[in-house]
Amino acid sequence: MTADSTTLTTSMDVLEPLRAAPARHLTDLMEGAAVTGARAVTLREHEFAVQIGLRAVPGEQGATALESVLGVPLPTAHGEVTGDLDGLHVLRLSPDEFLAVDVSRRQEPGVEAPYQEALEEGVPGQAVDLSANRTVLVLEGPGAREVLEKSVALDLHPREFGVGRAEATLLSTIPVVLVRSGEQTWRILPRASFADHLVRWLVDGMTELGSACPEEESAQRSVRPAQHA
């Protein structure tokens, strides 16, 4: 083990207990809002997933360099996702903008380094660690699509929005990236600053499906603890 890796491990040991995911204070609210039965749906936060923002033009030198590290091609079609939805996968945000997401790892300093190193001097492209920019909310169950359809102006029927599709859209008024990662599983990626509002919005939609958590109790359980004395 090198001195740099030892220092990094020590730093993470110190920092890890201090990390707070954007929606962690709403864990009780999300758990209490779970719906059971035929329209079952749950909501949770997938904390600290690796998210690397990539810029490159597909088919050109920068894209080839990034693909050599990713191990999968960059998506070239609207809504396409490449890679492993349960591990490292790549979302297409625009013709030359991508988001590499790894839900099998927790973010740590330096996760973007291999991508940056692949872009040698003069090779056009960009790789930036954006893991703190968005969080990942997971809405799951047979009632998940019904909850989303209350607020998303997209056709979410499987014939139009199948497993492995991703779209940048609005959920209510909040910009999100919406990924269908399973038959009954949806990942919602909002900016971290919108996580609190979005969780409460989704929970409100879940109560209409028969949530066991009354609205008054939900509000009481989700009060953010005081940060300062």
Side-chain angles (χ1 to χ4, degrees):
M1 182 178 290
T2 66
D4 287 344
S5 62
T6 300
T7 301
L8 177 59
T9 300
T10 301
S11 298
M12 289 305 298
D13 288 342
V14 172
L15 293 174
E16 187 65 29
L18 303 177
R19 301 174 87 180
R24 181 179 292 176
H25 64 288
L26 297 174
T27 298
D28 284 349
L29 172 64
M30 290 186 279
E31 291 178 352
V35 179
T36 59
R39 302 166 79 191
V41 60
T42 60
L43 177 64
R44 61 183 173 84
E45 182 178 27
H46 185 101
E47 297 186 353
F48 308 124
V50 172
Q51 300 179 63
I52 309 296
L54 305 174
R55 285 273 191 176
V57 177
E60 297 191 0
Q61 188 178 7
T64 301
L66 292 173
E67 288 169 345
S68 69
V69 180
L70 290 166
V72 297
L74 295 175
T76 57
H78 177 76
E80 181 184 4
V81 178
T82 57
D84 180 5
L85 286 167
D86 294 322
L88 175 63
H89 52 283
V90 186
L91 317 177
R92 185 177 186 262
L93 303 182
S94 74
D96 68 345
E97 182 183 8
F98 307 88
L99 185 66
V101 181
D102 193 341
V103 294
S104 67
R105 300 171 54 197
R106 286 170 73 86
Q107 185 274 346
E108 60 184 31
V111 291
E112 76 285 4
Y115 305 94
Q116 293 179 344
E117 292 168 1
L119 297 169
E120 301 173 358
E121 186 174 352
V123 177
Q126 185 181 59
V128 181
D129 182 7
L130 297 179
S131 304
N133 187 37
R134 292 184 176 92
T135 192
V136 180
L137 301 176
V138 182
L139 194 68
E140 188 168 21
R145 177 158 66 96
E146 187 175 349
V147 173
L148 289 173
E149 286 174 334
K150 299 173 186 294
S151 303
V152 175
L154 293 173
D155 185 351
L156 301 183
H157 191 280
R159 65 172 174 263
E160 293 294 332
F161 207 115
V163 175
R165 185 173 181 84
E167 294 278 359
T169 186
L170 292 178
L171 200 163
S172 179
T173 59
I174 302 171
V176 302
V177 178
L178 180 64
V179 184
R180 189 172 184 190
S181 57
E183 290 294 339
Q184 297 181 349
T185 306
W186 304 77
R187 294 187 186 132
I188 307 160
L189 283 66
R191 305 285 184 184
S193 58
F194 289 117
D196 182 283
H197 177 76
L198 187 57
V199 166
R200 296 176 191 274
W201 184 274
L202 291 169
V203 164
D204 184 68
M206 291 166 64
T207 61
E208 296 180 24
L209 272 67
S211 171
C213 185
E215 188 173 349
E216 296 80 7
E217 182 182 348
S218 296
Q220 183 177 4
R221 296 177 68 187
S222 63
V223 173
R224 184 191 294 270
Q227 300 297 311
H228 304 284

